[in-house]
Structure formats: structure tokens, C-alpha cells
Amino acid sequence: MKGSTGSRLDAVEMFCVAARMQSFTAAAIHLGTTPSAVSKSVQRLEARLGLRLFARTTRAVRLTDEGQLYYDSCQQALDRINETETALTHAQVPRGILRVSLPYSYGIKRLIPLIPQYMARFAEHVSMEVSLSNAAVDFVRQDFDMAVRIGNVADSRLVARPLENVRRVVVATPEYLRQHGRPREPGDLMRHQCIGMLMPDTGRCLPWEFRSDDGDVSEVAIRPALAFDHPLGALAAVTHGAGIAQLLEVTVRDDLASGRLVELLRKHAPPVQPVFAVYPSHRYMPAKVRAFIDFLLETL
């Protein structure tokens, strides 16, 4: 058949409106086009089918027997399409596989413990696949429905909805501090064993940010003797006395509460960082994505 699927569907929709209204003029007004456009579309449809769909007079048009049969079948198909689109775009119950990318330690320490609650709500309709990564997400190639990322999202093709704020803390073990002393100012870190975090997109160490007494924020370019591409690797190293690390507070919360780690330089703590739910800027958001974001906003 000649013509694209989209153009054929448009022609079928024009034909159905004209058949229902028994007038090319009324159909044109309803569709926001011209009677000539409706007439030509129907003529092309008749030529493609090799059938006469309308019997035309100077005053009106009416369906032929073949046209009535074609109209009945096409209108049922269009109704099913509309019902399916409504169900997919406006359904309140999420369905299908939700594919999510979460940051390493924030995902493990903060979000994954919450997922069983979400699954309990929608277990009959939704399953989840979770990937852990701090790298930028290619939603098309990697087939993710959404991601959670820390820090501002620069890609204008994505929607970023804020979930909460997190802070970074500088930590070390009490034993390390007894052996090497406690830094009082960010500049003191140059004399300490610092544990770096490698950024996934560049392979460089993430600079440490601090707030000065007057409120300005500056970076300290540490020279780490030890660096990791995973925050839980840095956490394991710092808890075993390898040095000083700057990590998310949620990553080290349990260790701070137990006394295994001590927070340092708190008065110079950097500004909090926003956490975003990120997804492609499509016109419609799938119900499974909307439900998970709503759940995170509710629980966080």
C-alpha cells in the first residue's frame, strides 16, 4: 500500500468524521480544515481501496453499502485506539517493568531500603530493574524509564524534579585522628592522607568544597594517595583508618551514629546538594514513573 501508516490513519479518521456527520463541510469545520481537503482525502482513500465509499449528491453525501461496512470496522478500531491511549497515558495504576538508574551510595543507603514499600503497593502490576551508577544516563540507548541524580541537571532535554537535599561531610576514624591530628581548617587537609572519589564521566578526582567564614564556597584540590570510583569503596577505606574522606552524609550516617567515624570541619561544611528524579521530557509520563516519583516525594 502506498502512503505512510500515519497518513492512512489520518485519512481513515477524516472518513469516519465525514461519515458520521454525512457532510464534508461539517467534517471540515469539526477537524479545522477545508471541505476540499476532506473530499480529496476521501477520494485518495477510495482510490487506494478500489471502492466507492460515498454516494454524493449536490446537497449531501451518504455511505454506500461498502462504505457503511468500512465505517463500522474503522470506527471500532479508532475507538479501541482511543481507549488504549487513554489507559496508557492517564491510568492511575502503574504497570510493566520500571527501569531505574540510582546513584551508588545514595541508592544503596537511602532509596533501595524504601523500594520494598513501593513494591508492596503495586506488586501485582509492576516489577523493577535497578541499576547503580553515577554516570550520565542515555535514556534511549540504555532503556531507562527514569534516574535519580545528585546535583543540577544541565541537559535541557530532561525533566528534573527535586526530591530532597543532601549534604557532604568530611570524616575519619578516631584512631586516625589520634595518630595524625585533627584538621581545623580546610587548608590543613594538605598535610593529611585524603581519600578521593573519581568522577565517572572524567576519571578525575572530585574536588572538595568548603564554606569560608564569610559564607563563600571554594574548592580544595586534594592530592589523594588513594582514590575510588565507588563511594562504598571509599567508605570501607576510611572506616579502616586509611585517611580522611568527603562523602554523602547518608553514606556515613550509621558510622557516625556508632562512633566508628567522626565528622570534621563542620563549620566549613559545603552547601547542600539537590537530589532530582530525572526522566525524558516526553509529553506524557508513564503511570509507573509518576507513581514511583510520587512515592519518593511522600517517603523522603
Side-chain angles (χ1 to χ4, degrees):
M1 292 183 182
K2 294 182 180 180
S4 69
T5 300
S7 63
R8 291 203 302 270
L9 184 58
D10 290 342
V12 167
E13 288 182 301
M14 273 193 185
F15 159 73
C16 286
V17 174
R20 192 163 59 248
M21 295 187 166
Q22 297 185 20
S23 167
F24 289 173
T25 300
I29 294 172
H30 178 80
L31 294 168
T33 186
T34 64
S36 175
V38 175
S39 178
K40 289 179 180 178
S41 178
V42 170
Q43 288 173 12
R44 287 192 294 269
L45 187 59
E46 289 177 324
R48 184 173 65 82
L49 295 172
L51 296 172
R52 193 175 175 204
L53 300 175
F54 286 100
R56 298 162 175 82
T57 69
T58 56
R59 293 187 175 182
V61 295
R62 63 174 179 83
L63 289 170
T64 62
D65 291 342
E66 295 84 358
Q68 184 66 54
L69 182 63
Y70 189 65
Y71 168 77
D72 292 340
S73 179
C74 289
Q75 191 59 57
Q76 289 177 14
L78 290 174
D79 289 342
R80 286 195 296 270
I81 291 172
N82 289 332
E83 290 170 1
T84 301
E85 287 181 347
T86 299
L88 291 176
T89 58
H90 300 292
Q92 298 303 310
V93 178
R95 299 180 186 278
I97 302 173
L98 177 63
R99 297 179 175 88
V100 182
S101 174
L102 303 179
Y104 288 130
S105 65
Y106 181 82
I108 292 171
K109 295 285 189 175
R110 183 75 166 131
L111 297 185
I112 291 177
L114 302 176
I115 287 178
Q117 299 177 41
Y118 173 79
M119 295 301 297
R121 292 186 188 182
F122 304 109
E124 296 182 2
H125 305 287
V126 175
S127 59
M128 286 189 69
E129 294 179 1
V130 178
S131 173
L132 294 168
S133 174
N134 287 346
V137 175
D138 185 331
F139 284 94
V140 175
R141 185 176 62 82
Q142 296 175 291
D143 197 28
F144 286 117
D145 295 301
M146 60 167 288
V148 174
R149 287 296 181 263
I150 299 170
N152 293 318
V153 178
D155 193 335
S156 61
R157 297 170 299 176
L158 302 177
V159 177
R161 289 192 57 186
L163 297 175
E164 66 171 342
N165 293 320
V166 294
R167 67 186 187 98
R168 295 186 180 276
V169 294
V170 178
V171 294
T173 61
E175 178 60 26
Y176 173 87
L177 297 176
R178 280 193 290 270
Q179 292 183 15
H180 301 278
R182 188 184 186 107
R184 302 296 177 182
E185 300 292 334
D188 296 343
L189 292 171
M190 304 302 291
R191 299 190 296 273
H192 283 268
Q193 301 170 26
C194 293
I195 301 169
M197 279 299 309
L198 299 171
M199 293 183 287
D201 298 321
T202 65
R204 298 176 181 175
C205 272
L206 187 70
W208 292 11
E209 288 187 333
F210 294 96
R211 192 191 303 272
S212 64
D213 292 335
D214 57 9
D216 292 334
V217 177
S218 60
E219 293 183 352
V220 173
I222 60 167
R223 296 194 295 270
L226 183 60
F228 292 87
D229 64 356
H230 197 300
L232 295 188
L235 175 62
V238 71
T239 54
H240 286 80
I244 298 175
Q246 188 179 69
L247 295 165
L248 292 177
E249 188 271 337
V250 297
T251 303
V252 299
R253 184 175 295 165
D254 293 340
D255 297 284
L256 290 173
S258 69
R260 287 190 295 270
L261 293 177
V262 176
E263 183 177 354
L264 308 172
L265 303 171
R266 181 157 190 167
K267 72 173 184 176
H268 297 288
V272 296
Q273 289 188 292
V275 180
F276 293 100
V278 183
Y279 53 92
S281 56
H282 296 156
R283 180 178 178 185
Y284 296 111
M285 183 194 304
K288 59 185 178 181
V289 175
R290 182 187 300 109
F292 189 60
I293 292 175
D294 289 345
F295 167 78
L296 292 178
L297 289 170
E298 171 191 331
T299 53
L300 293 178

